[in-house]
Amino acid sequence: MPPPLLTSLLTLFALTPTALSHSHLAHILVNGELYHGFDPRPNQLNSPSRVGWSTGATDDGFVSPANYSHPDIICHTAGASPPAHAPVRAGDRIHVQWNGWPMGHVGPVLSYLAPCAGLEGAERGCTGVDKTELRWTKVDDSDPVMQREVEGPGGPGMEGIPGQLWATDVMIAANNSWQVAIPRGLKPGPYVLRHETIALHYASKKDGAQNYPLCVNLWVEGGDGGLAMDGFDAMGFYKEADPGVLVNVTAGLASYVVPGPTVVAGATPVPYAEQSLSLSRAEGTPVVVTRSTETVPFDGGATPTGAVRGRGRYDRSG
């Protein structure tokens, strides 16, 4: 009979992936102003003025590769748009604050934008549109995603994969946050920002990758409209056997192939060296789209949310 400690370890490694690696978007920061995300866990108080899409992922869990062609891959499980949008100017950087991310759950950090203008229901911006009609353009792929290191990721005390520095390691070092640059050439109007991490610690097995696609509503101003959007369907982004999805991250990788579309020409992802934490200075005032090209301040008021209270915490058990 194995000793108790070994038995405990075997039990831990026998756990199914659905029990491990959980997170959500706590909030975003635009020029230091905070706009609320959505906390899907039971008994949380979510802000009525949130810009984060709601999800049905009450376990803070993920979408698996088996569901890559299902609507859940668009904005997570049962993703639904709120009425509010965060105002942002083309060229701004958005700090996306995750509730936390466990070391060792390595992978890419990806961002996409989809315009809502022109879709049925867009007189209320992104609130009333059919999410399956959204067409996406990748604006950040966290390239090179994985870099070889001599010292190991992050220095002493870090728990990543020795010899590899991943985009998720950079995100964790920035207090579990990631900066996304809004392209200067973006046409003004309502957009959905789809921000996603893909955890690859189980990805050596079929259906082992863990996707966290989470969405927020934006109202973009000041762009010149010169960016040519790509228009991809999120339900066609990835395949189960893509080399960036079915991959053994502990096998001494020399490089990593980013899954999905390429970054659109004209987008300027924020480099690793400029990824840093940011603190909120004030509550932001979200807007509601009234006539597809006009907005008014959201007047629903804000209440404390579980998402903000949980900022920076994560489960190390995965």
Side-chain angles (χ1 to χ4, degrees), residues 40 57 71 77 79 84 95 162 165 192 214 218 241 248 279 282 312:
T77 306
H95 259 94
L165 175 69
V192 180
L214 295 162
L218 304 177
N248 185 352
L279 300 177

Side-chain angles (χ1 to χ4, degrees), residues 142-300:
S142 62
D143 186 61
V145 179
M146 190 279 292
Q147 300 180 64
R148 298 295 301 174
E149 279 199 325
V150 176
E151 298 293 333
M158 303 297 277
E159 300 171 7
I161 297 176
Q164 298 177 7
L165 175 69
W166 288 83
T168 45
D169 295 320
V170 176
M171 181 177 76
I172 292 168
N175 191 33
N176 307 303
S177 72
W178 191 266
Q179 291 186 73
V180 180
I182 302 302
R184 296 185 181 277
L186 208 61
K187 184 178 179 180
Y191 289 81
V192 180
L193 169 65
R194 179 185 183 275
H195 187 68
E196 178 180 39
T197 54
I198 307 178
L200 300 173
H201 54 296
Y202 285 114
S204 61
K205 300 177 181 179
K206 183 180 179 181
D207 205 37
Q210 301 177 1
N211 290 62
Y212 291 78
L214 295 162
C215 293
V216 296
N217 286 346
L218 304 177
W219 175 260
V220 177
E221 300 175 336
D224 60 22
L227 186 76
M229 304 292 281
D230 286 332
F232 291 101
D233 184 344
M235 292 183 286
F237 280 168
Y238 317 121
K239 303 297 182 186
E240 292 184 59
D242 284 349
V245 172
L246 185 61
V247 57
N248 185 352
V249 296
T250 64
L253 298 180
S255 61
Y256 173 77
V257 180
V258 182
T262 57
V263 172
V264 67
T268 53
V270 179
Y272 283 6
E274 297 177 26
Q275 294 289 342
S276 61
L277 63 87
S278 180
L279 300 177
S280 65
R281 296 193 297 268
E283 286 271 345
T285 302
V287 298
V288 175
V289 181
T290 56
R291 294 174 56 188
S292 74
T293 59
E294 298 178 8
T295 65
V296 296
F298 185 86
D299 63 1

Side-chain angles (χ1 to χ4, degrees), residues 26-66:
H27 58 261
I28 64 172
L29 296 175
V30 181
N31 297 317
E33 295 189 338
L34 184 149
Y35 299 88
H36 296 276
F38 180 79
D39 189 335
R41 297 173 298 179
N43 303 316
Q44 301 299 310
L45 294 175
N46 281 293
S47 171
S49 63
R50 61 182 172 81
V51 299
W53 284 44
S54 63
T55 79
T58 55
D59 64 346
D60 245 1
F62 55 86
V63 178
S64 68

